[in-house]
């Protein structure tokens, strides 16, 4: 949820015309310590901790049944299934007036950015807003860097020494990087500050 400060800024300012988010999250995640999730707020606003998505029964088993490199997506799938539709941990993108472009990854194994992007768009539509565009990049992992970024290393080692996967295949990530940057350049290039 590195996009959280951007979301808060977009809520407070009317001069932001367009948000472009890559591998978006629809929720505020809990904090972490040395690569492990902890039951505490990761973010504050005005000095007060923000609500976050809590652990749920079964999520640790979903991760523990795996072998390295581990996928953290199942943890988020469990949490999202248990989260109420108006839980304060959900980011209220439907309150943002600017255009929102979400570039999500169909093979994201960090969190379900594809599911979350669709949830964000659907929430906005239910509230009468049509300002959210979603593009799901098939087979692409969590990391969409610049089109020159390496795509072959699909894993990372967290501070806790555990190896996790970003998901996706090198080829899908390469195509995803190109498609994402084309979408970003198009969105930025089509900005009209009338």
């Amino acid at each position: 949820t590195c996009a959280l400060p951007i979301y808060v800024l977009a809520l407070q300012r009317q001069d932001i015309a367009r948000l472009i988010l890559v591998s978006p999250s629809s929720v505020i995640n809990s904090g972490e310590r040395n690569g492990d999730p902890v039951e505490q707020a990761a973010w504050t606003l005005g000095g007060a901790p923000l609500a976050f998505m809590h652990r749920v029964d079964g999520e640790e088993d979903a991760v523990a049944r795996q072998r390295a490199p581990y996928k953290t997506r199942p943890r988020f799938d469990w949490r999202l299934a248990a989260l109420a539709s108006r839980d304060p941990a959900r980011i209220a993108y439907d309150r943002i007036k600017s255009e929102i472009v979400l570039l999500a990854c169909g093979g994201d194994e960090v969190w379900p950015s594809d599911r979350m992007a669709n949830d964000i768009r659907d929430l906005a539509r239910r509230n009468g807003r049509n300002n959210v565009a979603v593009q799901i990049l098939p087979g692409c992992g969590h990391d969409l860097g610049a089109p020159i970024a390496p795509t072959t290393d699909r894993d990372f080692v967290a501070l806790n020494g555990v190896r996790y996967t970003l998901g996706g295949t090198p080829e899908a990530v390469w195509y995803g990087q190109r498609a994402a940057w084309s979408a970003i350049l198009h969105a930025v290039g089509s900005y009209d500050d009338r």
Side-chain angles (χ1 to χ4, degrees):
T1 53
C2 294
L4 187 62
I6 297 166
Y7 153 74
V8 171
L9 189 65
L11 277 175
Q12 295 174 350
R13 297 190 47 164
Q14 300 301 313
D15 61 338
I16 296 175
R18 185 171 293 127
L19 292 179
I20 305 168
L21 302 174
V22 178
S23 300
S25 176
S26 60
V27 296
I28 303 170
N29 295 311
S30 63
E32 67 173 50
R33 187 173 295 117
N34 296 325
D36 292 318
V38 294
E39 281 290 297
Q40 70 182 39
W43 297 95
T44 62
L45 182 61
L50 292 175
F52 60 91
M53 190 167 61
H54 291 276
R55 291 181 180 173
V56 296
D57 291 337
E59 75 174 67
E60 291 305 321
D61 291 337
V63 175
R65 285 192 294 265
Q66 303 176 35
R67 291 187 176 175
Y70 293 95
K71 300 173 182 177
T72 55
R73 180 183 180 124
R75 171 178 286 136
F76 291 97
D77 285 332
W78 277 86
R79 290 180 182 187
L80 287 169
L83 199 63
S85 63
R86 282 295 181 193
D87 190 290
R90 289 194 186 273
I91 299 172
Y93 286 99
D94 58 314
R95 292 179 41 211
I96 295 176
K97 293 182 172 64
S98 67
E99 291 179 40
I100 303 172
V101 177
L102 303 174
L103 303 171
C105 303
D108 191 336
E109 293 297 351
V110 174
W111 61 54
S113 63
D114 51 353
R115 173 183 177 179
M116 291 183 181
N118 286 325
D119 287 350
I120 292 165
R121 182 199 54 223
D122 295 346
L123 175 64
R125 285 182 179 166
R126 280 194 304 275
N127 289 293
R129 303 198 59 80
N130 290 314
N131 61 326
V132 179
V134 173
Q135 182 175 355
I136 307 237
L137 304 165
C140 199
H142 186 75
D143 59 324
L144 281 177
I148 58 167
T151 63
T152 54
D153 191 2
R154 308 303 320 132
D155 302 342
F156 67 97
V157 177
L159 293 174
N160 60 5
V162 176
R163 189 164 47 104
Y164 295 95
T165 184
L166 297 163
T169 65
E171 182 179 31
V173 173
W174 183 79
Y175 282 110
Q177 287 175 344
R178 291 180 62 207
W181 278 93
S182 291
I184 290 167
L185 293 174
H186 175 74
V188 170
S190 65
Y191 175 71
D192 179 6
D193 63 354
R194 293 175 229 163

